[in-house]
């Protein structure tokens, strides 16, 4: 009923994650950005892969599925809304489904926006959520398939989790996200301090992921779309968070 997590870089800026249930040793890869890197992490830990949990169909998330399944015979669990696009899928899951990894329990939440079928895996008893490309440290996923309202609704599900929850996102985008965040939330002292800490961590070559939901609630502009200071900075006076979120996302898409 407790998990152990290994985190390692994959491709140019993805993170791979292995989650192991301490009771019976079941091991899940959260997404499969790079089968070779996942195999290296497995052999370094002496762990055997039993599951793959996919968040969405993008190749940097499901591209290693078939190679790993051929090697390990692992069971692949992924989003019902993208079942046809997830290589080797065994179990299609959706909102509210409970997925067991050994004795450990993950709850599935549907978080459309980045893709329409995107799901996240929340281990409430362990205070951990694997959020794929829905929320990033100081950012959120691009709206390739969904609408601002869908993504805002998805982010709101994450915002309602316990504040101490650790958010394991799929990319190290934090330093660039911080530069943008400061442009739409310039008076936020916590954000300024966090941006400095992020720059120092990256200069030392350290990951900035996971963060906690509490940190994101205080500093992530995409969660703070209803904040008066953020609204003013993007030139909106109304308190409509979806309109503000859409404007912040539009600005981020054009930010260099
Ligand atoms: Zn993606
Ligand atoms: Fe991705």
């Amino acid at each position: 009923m407790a998990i152990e997590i290994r985190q390692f870089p994959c491709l140019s800026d993805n993170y791979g994650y292995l989650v192991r249930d301490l009771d019976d040793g079941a091991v899940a890869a959260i997404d499969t950005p790079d089968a070779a890197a996942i195999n290296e992490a497995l052999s370094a830990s002496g762990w055997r892969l039993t599951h793959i949990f996919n968040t969405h169909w993008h190749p940097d998330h499901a591209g290693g599925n078939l190679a790993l399944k051929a090697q390990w015979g692992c069971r692949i669990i992924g989003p019902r809304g993208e079942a046809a696009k997830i290589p080797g899928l065994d179990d299609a899951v959706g909102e509210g489904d409970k997925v067991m990894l050994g004795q450990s329990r993950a709850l599935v939440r549907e978080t459309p926006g980045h893709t329409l079928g995107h799901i996240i895996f929340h281990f409430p008893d362990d205070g951990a959520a694997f959020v794929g490309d829905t929320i990033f440290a100081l950012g959120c996923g691009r709206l390739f398939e969904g609408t601002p309202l869908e993504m805002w609704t998805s982010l709101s599900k994450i915002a309602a989790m316990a504040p101490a929850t650790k958010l394991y996102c799929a990319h190290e985008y934090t330093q660039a996200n911080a530069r943008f965040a400061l442009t739409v939330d310039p008076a936020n002292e916590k954000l300024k301090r966090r941006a400095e800490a992020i720059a120092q961590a990256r200069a030392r070559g350290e990951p900035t992921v996971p963060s906690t939901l509490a940190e994101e609630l205080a500093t992530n502009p995409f969660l703070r779309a209803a904040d008066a200071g953020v609204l003013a900075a993007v030139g909106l006076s109304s308190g409509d968070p979806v309109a503000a979120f859409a404007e912040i996302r539009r600005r981020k898409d054009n930010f260099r």
Side-chain angles (χ1 to χ4, degrees):
M1 280 167 311
I3 56 172
E4 181 180 357
I5 298 167
R6 291 278 158 90
Q7 173 175 348
F8 44 96
C10 288
L11 308 178
S12 58
D13 52 33
N14 283 73
Y15 283 120
Y17 297 107
L18 293 174
V19 181
R20 180 173 177 271
D21 173 60
L22 293 174
D23 286 312
D24 85 346
V27 174
I30 309 296
D31 285 332
T32 57
D34 182 344
I38 290 167
N39 272 322
E40 265 177 50
L42 286 163
S43 60
S45 354
W47 294 356
R48 303 181 56 81
L49 189 69
T50 58
H51 295 76
I52 291 168
F53 291 178
N54 285 124
T55 62
H56 65 296
W57 67 269
H58 285 162
D60 63 314
H61 296 261
N65 277 18
L66 293 182
L68 290 166
K69 189 173 188 179
Q71 184 177 346
W72 296 95
C74 52
R75 192 157 191 91
I76 301 183
I77 294 154
R80 181 174 298 138
E82 299 176 0
K85 291 176 163 176
I86 304 289
L89 184 68
D90 293 299
D91 300 323
V93 295
E95 181 73 24
D97 284 345
K98 186 176 76 172
V99 172
M100 296 306 292
L101 179 68
Q103 304 300 308
S104 295
R105 175 179 64 123
L107 295 177
V108 174
R109 307 299 305 271
E110 293 179 357
T111 58
H114 178 68
T115 64
L116 285 179
H118 197 296
I119 57 174
I120 65 174
F121 295 89
H122 180 205
F123 289 78
D125 307 325
D126 302 278
F130 294 89
V131 295
D133 288 354
T134 297
I135 188 170
F136 297 121
L138 289 179
C140 78
R142 265 181 194 264
L143 304 187
F144 285 119
E145 298 179 7
T147 65
L149 175 58
E150 284 170 316
M151 188 55 131
W152 176 255
T153 305
S154 297
L155 292 173
S156 300
K157 289 183 187 179
I158 294 171
M161 292 176 177
T165 305
K166 285 187 177 165
L167 303 177
Y168 293 85
C169 64
H171 292 271
E172 178 64 60
Y173 290 156
T174 318
Q175 197 164 10
N177 287 344
R179 277 201 305 123
F180 172 75
L182 287 165
T183 68
V184 293
D185 198 4
N188 185 335
E189 293 300 327
K190 284 183 179 164
L191 173 60
K192 290 182 205 171
R193 286 200 296 276
R194 188 175 175 195
E196 282 168 23
I198 285 162
Q200 288 165 11
R202 295 308 293 154
R204 293 191 299 263
E206 294 169 5
T208 64
V209 176
S211 59
T212 64
L213 174 59
E215 287 178 276
E216 298 306 325
L217 288 170
T219 54
N220 185 319
F222 296 99
L223 293 183
R224 288 169 48 73
D227 177 83
V230 174
L231 282 169
V234 298
L236 293 170
S237 54
S238 99
D240 177 1
V242 178
F245 170 78
E247 173 62 16
I248 297 166
R249 187 60 255 179
R250 192 189 63 75
R251 289 186 183 211
K252 177 69 164 68
D253 289 343
N254 296 314
F255 184 73
R256 292 287 174 273

